[in-house]
Amino acid sequence: MSIQKPKGTQDLLPGDVEKWQYLESKARDLCQRFNYKEIRSPIFESTELFSRGVGETTDIVEKEMYTFLDKGDRSISLRPEGTAGVVRAYVENKLYGLPDLTKLYYVGPMFRYEQPQAGRYRQFHQFGIEAFGSVDPSIDAEVIALGYTFYKEIGLKEVSVEINSVGTPSVRTAYREKLQEFFAPVKHLLCKDCQSRYDRNPMRILDCKTDQKYGEGAPEILDYLDEECSTHFSQVQEHLTAMEIPYRINPRLVRGLDYYTHTAFEYKAAGIGAIDTIGGGGRYNGLVEQIGGHGTDQPGVGLGLGLERILLVLQAQGVEIPKPEPLDVYLIGLGETAEKEVTKLLHQLRVQGLKAEKDYQGRKLKAQMKSADRFQAKYVAILGDDELARGEITLKQMETGSQVIVSLVDLASNAAKTLFE
C-alpha cells in the first residue's frame, strides 16, 4: 500500500501554490503599509503555553491540539493558533521594553485535530497580526480595518464585519452569574460539553452550534458593560465609521478563545455553505502577563485570517487570482556546440533578472517549441551552429510569429531586457 498524505492535510502543487503566494504577497505588502513587522515563531511550543493562553475550557485545548511527549518527556503541542506563540516570543525577547508600539504579523501553518470539511483542515494556514502596548480604541479599529482592507484588495465581495464587546474579567463575572441563572432550567438538556461549560465558562455555551436554540433570549453582555467598557466600545465604532469600514454589532459574538477582553470581531462572507466566518480577532488585555508573569503586562489586540477559507470564497465568487508572469524567453540550441552556448546564455539571462528556460531532455525542435508554448514563453531564442559561427541568434515572438536576428553580444549584455519588452 502506497503512503498517502495524512487526513486533513493537502499537497499544494504548482498551479495552485501560486494562489497562495499571491495571498501571502498581498498580506506582506499590506502589513508594510500599516507598519507591521514580520515575526516567525516555532510551530511547536510547550503545551502549557496554549492551555494557559488559549484557555482550558476551549474546544481547541480540550479536543483539538496535537500534543505529544518529546524525548525529554516534555509535553509539546503543535500550535493551534498564532497569538499565544507570538505573545511568548514578545515576552521572552523583552519586546515590551521597546519605546514604541510593537506591531507584528505572521503567515504560516496551524494544527488542530478536527473533522475535515470545506475550508477546514488539520493543517491549515493563517495570516495574523498582533499589536502590543496600547489601550487606544483606534488600534482596535486599525486591526479590524487592516483585515477588511486585505479582503477588499484581493477582490472578495460582500464581506461583512461583526463586532461585540466581551468586557473585562470583572464585567464577565457579573454576566456569568446571569447566564448561569438563564441556563439553569435547561442545563440537563445541554450537550455534554456545555454542561461542563456551565460551571467553568458559561459564555462558551453561546458559541456552541449544538445548543444554540437554548441560548435564544439569553442575556446580552452589552447590557452589563461598565462605563470603561462602554466608552471603549463606542470609540471603536466611531473610528470604524470614520474609516468607512462597514460593521454591525452582534451581541452574541464571543469568539472561540478565552483570552479576549473588550473588542471581539469576525469577518463573514458567503460562498462556503453554513460556515461563513473567514477570520476574526479581538483585544486581549492581560494575556501578556498571564503568559509572561508579573511585570510583563502589556495590552494587545490582533486578528487571524484563514487562507484556505479565503481561497474557497474567492473560487465560489468567481474571483480570478492574477496568474504569474510567463517566461520571457525559451532558448533552443540546435547542435552540440550551440547547445553548450545556450546553457551559458540561459544563466546570463537569469542573472539579468529574466525568466528563462531551455530543454533538458534532448527533444527535437518541434517538441521544444511545444514546451515553450506550454510555458507561455513570450519569445523563443533559437541558436544553430551556423548562427553561432556568425555571432547571431534568432528571436521569435510567440504571439505574432515575427522573427528578428540579434547579436549574441546584445543578448548576453545587460541591455537584454529591452529585447523582450
Side-chain angles (χ1 to χ4, degrees):
M1 180 178 178
S2 62
I3 299 174
Q4 297 182 330
K5 64 182 182 292
K7 183 178 180 180
T9 64
Q10 53 183 330
D11 297 315
L12 302 177
L13 304 177
D16 285 325
V17 77
E18 290 82 3
K19 300 173 183 176
W20 290 78
Q21 292 168 345
Y22 172 75
L23 293 185
E24 291 165 6
S25 67
K26 294 292 287 187
R28 296 179 195 281
D29 173 69
L30 190 62
C31 285
Q32 286 183 0
R33 284 184 270 149
F34 278 67
N35 198 32
Y36 285 76
K37 311 298 185 184
E38 184 175 10
I39 183 171
R40 301 189 185 190
S41 60
I43 63 170
F44 62 88
E45 301 264 8
S46 167
T47 300
E48 182 187 6
L49 171 66
F50 302 117
S51 58
R52 186 192 298 183
V54 176
E56 293 182 351
T57 65
T58 62
D59 283 349
I60 292 174
V61 172
E62 288 185 328
K63 303 176 183 179
E64 298 172 359
M65 286 207 304
Y66 279 92
T67 299
F68 56 93
L69 292 177
D70 69 6
K71 292 184 178 182
D73 284 333
R74 293 170 290 251
S75 183
I76 299 295
S77 294
L78 300 181
R79 62 185 184 191
E81 56 90 52
T83 299
V86 173
V87 171
R88 193 268 313 145
Y90 173 79
V91 171
E92 185 172 340
N93 294 282
K94 296 182 172 56
L95 300 183
Y96 52 82
L98 299 176
D100 296 314
L101 197 68
T102 302
K103 298 165 69 174
L104 305 170
Y105 79 91
Y106 57 87
V107 181
M110 311 291 162
F111 305 84
R112 295 183 193 175
Y113 188 85
E114 56 184 348
Q115 190 60 34
Q117 53 184 290
R120 178 174 289 173
Y121 294 87
R122 291 177 177 176
Q123 176 179 317
F124 59 100
H125 300 77
Q126 282 189 342
F127 157 47
I129 66 172
E130 316 290 348
F132 300 99
S134 175
V135 295
D136 190 333
S138 68
I139 193 67
D140 301 43
E142 175 184 288
V143 169
I144 295 171
L146 188 152
Y148 182 79
T149 304
F150 175 72
Y151 292 130
K152 189 173 181 180
E153 290 193 358
I154 62 174
L156 277 187
K157 309 178 188 74
E158 300 178 14
V159 175
S160 61
V161 180
E162 296 186 356
I163 65 172
N164 191 23
S165 175
V166 294
T168 60
S170 60
V171 165
R172 288 201 295 273
T173 297
Y175 180 56
R176 169 195 180 115
E177 294 175 0
K178 295 297 181 182
L179 279 180
Q180 287 177 323
E181 290 176 14
F182 177 82
F183 284 114
V186 295
K187 180 182 177 182
H188 65 288
L189 299 174
L190 300 176
C191 70
K192 183 179 178 181
D193 290 333
C194 285
Q195 288 183 22
S196 174
R197 292 166 180 155
Y198 176 87
D199 295 311
R200 296 188 295 164
N201 188 356
M203 281 184 67
R204 305 286 314 123
I205 301 175
L206 299 175
D207 199 41
C208 178
K209 302 298 186 287
T210 304
D211 290 335
Q212 281 198 348
K213 58 181 177 295
Y214 299 118
E216 293 179 5
E220 296 180 354
I221 193 169
L222 295 179
D223 295 329
Y224 297 87
L225 297 182
D226 58 21
E227 184 176 354
E228 175 202 353
C229 294
S230 293
T231 300
H232 186 95
F233 192 46
S234 295
Q235 290 180 1
V236 170
Q237 295 174 63
E238 290 172 7
H239 289 303
L240 290 175
T241 300
M243 291 188 285
E244 299 183 348
I245 305 297
Y247 69 90
R248 78 176 186 89
I249 296 172
N250 178 1
R252 295 176 64 85
L253 194 162
V254 297
R255 297 290 292 154
L257 305 166
D258 284 354
Y259 50 60
Y260 287 118
T261 58
H262 290 292
T263 311
F265 60 90
E266 288 184 344
Y267 303 98
K268 307 278 190 178
I272 51 175
I275 302 174
D276 58 355
T277 302
I278 56 174
R283 177 167 282 282
Y284 44 82
N285 299 349
L287 179 61
V288 174
E289 187 170 37
Q290 186 178 345
I291 288 176
H294 180 69
T296 63
D297 191 35
Q298 287 289 334
V301 59
L303 59 74
L305 312 182
L307 299 186
E308 281 85 356
R309 292 190 180 185
I310 292 171
L311 287 168
L312 268 182
V313 177
L314 285 171
Q315 182 180 15
Q317 294 186 354
V319 178
E320 289 287 335
I321 291 179
K323 290 182 171 58
E325 287 293 314
L327 283 181
D328 291 304
V329 58
Y330 188 99
L331 280 76
I332 297 176
L334 302 177
E336 184 176 344
T337 306
E339 177 61 32
K340 290 179 180 178
E341 182 68 19
V342 158
T343 300
K344 184 179 79 171
L345 280 171
L346 180 69
H347 179 69
Q348 291 172 330
L349 292 173
R350 288 169 171 171
V351 168
Q352 293 176 48
L354 290 161
K355 295 177 67 175
E357 185 58 286
K358 78 175 191 72
D359 178 64
Y360 295 93
Q361 296 171 284
R363 293 178 291 188
K364 301 294 185 182
L365 174 62
K366 185 176 180 180
Q368 291 190 53
M369 291 297 292
K370 288 183 178 179
S371 178
D373 195 50
R374 286 192 296 272
F375 283 122
Q376 297 181 317
K378 299 175 187 175
Y379 286 86
V380 169
I382 304 173
L383 179 66
D385 288 341
D386 292 342
E387 289 87 356
L388 178 58
R390 296 193 300 270
E392 297 174 339
I393 189 169
T394 301
L395 282 187
K396 178 178 181 179
Q397 189 177 39
M398 294 294 281
E399 185 177 357
T400 64
S402 62
Q403 296 185 174
V404 295
I405 305 295
V406 300
S407 76
L408 286 172
V409 173
D410 288 344
L411 192 69
S413 73
N414 290 330
K417 278 190 176 182
T418 61
L419 296 173
F420 304 105
E421 290 178 350

